Amino acid sequence: MALGYVRPARPEDAGEIARIQLATWRVAYRRILPRHVLDNLDEAFLARRWSAAVLEPPSGAHRVLVAVEQAEQSYLVGFAASGPADGEALAPGEPADALGPDVAAVTDLLVEPRWGRRGHGSRLLAAAVDLWREDGMSRAVAWAFDGDEATRKFLTSTGWEPDGAARALDVDDMLVPQVRLHVGVPAEKVPAE
């Protein structure tokens, strides 16, 4: 297990978060999303969006967390973003109140592939769960690409399961199927065995 920790993102992390997002998407989604779409993603644009997410979140329950690898130097290696479920978390045709005010939605949970399998994803998810619990959330949802076996396997190994909802994203005239997973948020932190 690597030495590492999770902390809230800082404004100066936005560029690294964007770099991690691009690097991860270009590896993990190369067989899921059209290549030209991945090649044309603008890192500076993504960095501005992440800066806004850190500096001006829609609520106090919207958070961006970063995973840090500790070695001779410290490196940002992953990140997670979540907040109260909104319209983006809904399945097509689902009523606006289907998920309720006590449901958190994960919008991003990425660890750069070269730093994978070192516990960073688990630390990010555990930190997010602790914050959801503080916010009174009883459940969380996340969309995953149907073809993204790594994300689905990671989430299901931590207790998430498909909730039956599905959608297809239109990515440059290509429909990319997604499934929604969900998990209960325990009311109290479960002690480690």
Side-chain angles (χ1 to χ4, degrees):
M1 176 92 43
L3 290 176
Y5 61 92
V6 171
R7 65 167 170 77
R10 303 175 187 140
E12 62 268 21
D13 296 331
E16 270 300 283
I17 293 170
R19 184 197 63 73
I20 291 166
Q21 182 177 20
L22 283 179
T24 304
W25 282 21
R26 287 177 175 157
V27 170
Y29 302 153
R30 70 181 182 272
R31 290 187 170 84
I32 298 171
L33 299 175
R35 182 180 178 146
H36 69 277
V37 170
L38 293 172
D39 289 345
N40 291 322
L41 290 171
D42 180 19
E43 189 170 335
F45 170 77
L46 292 174
R48 287 190 299 276
R49 291 190 59 198
W50 285 114
S51 180
V54 171
L55 287 169
E56 303 166 5
S59 77
H62 286 83
R63 298 183 178 91
V64 180
L65 303 172
V66 293
V68 179
E69 169 89 9
Q70 290 180 285
E72 290 180 23
Q73 296 180 7
S74 292
Y75 305 94
L76 255 60
V77 298
F79 68 96
S82 67
D86 60 13
E88 294 295 315
L90 295 172
E94 223 171 13
D97 61 351
L99 294 176
D102 62 338
V103 177
V106 176
T107 55
D108 290 280
L109 177 59
L110 298 172
V111 173
E112 191 173 357
R114 66 186 170 132
W115 298 103
R117 306 185 71 68
R118 297 170 65 86
H120 297 298
S122 295
R123 281 190 285 279
L124 282 165
L125 194 55
V129 169
D130 286 344
L131 292 169
W132 300 336
R133 187 179 302 106
E134 287 176 20
D135 293 334
M137 301 297 181
S138 66
R139 194 165 65 101
V141 296
W143 286 100
F145 289 116
D146 196 40
D148 182 1
E149 291 298 320
T151 296
R152 292 179 64 185
K153 183 176 179 182
F154 169 70
L155 288 174
T156 57
S157 75
T158 62
W160 294 66
E161 58 187 19
D163 70 0
R167 68 182 182 189
L169 296 182
D170 185 348
V171 181
D172 200 32
D173 291 332
M174 178 179 156
L175 293 178
V176 183
Q178 289 187 310
V179 295
R180 190 172 65 196
L181 293 96
H182 71 127
V183 70
V185 175
E188 293 187 21
K189 191 170 186 173
V190 178
E193 293 183 29

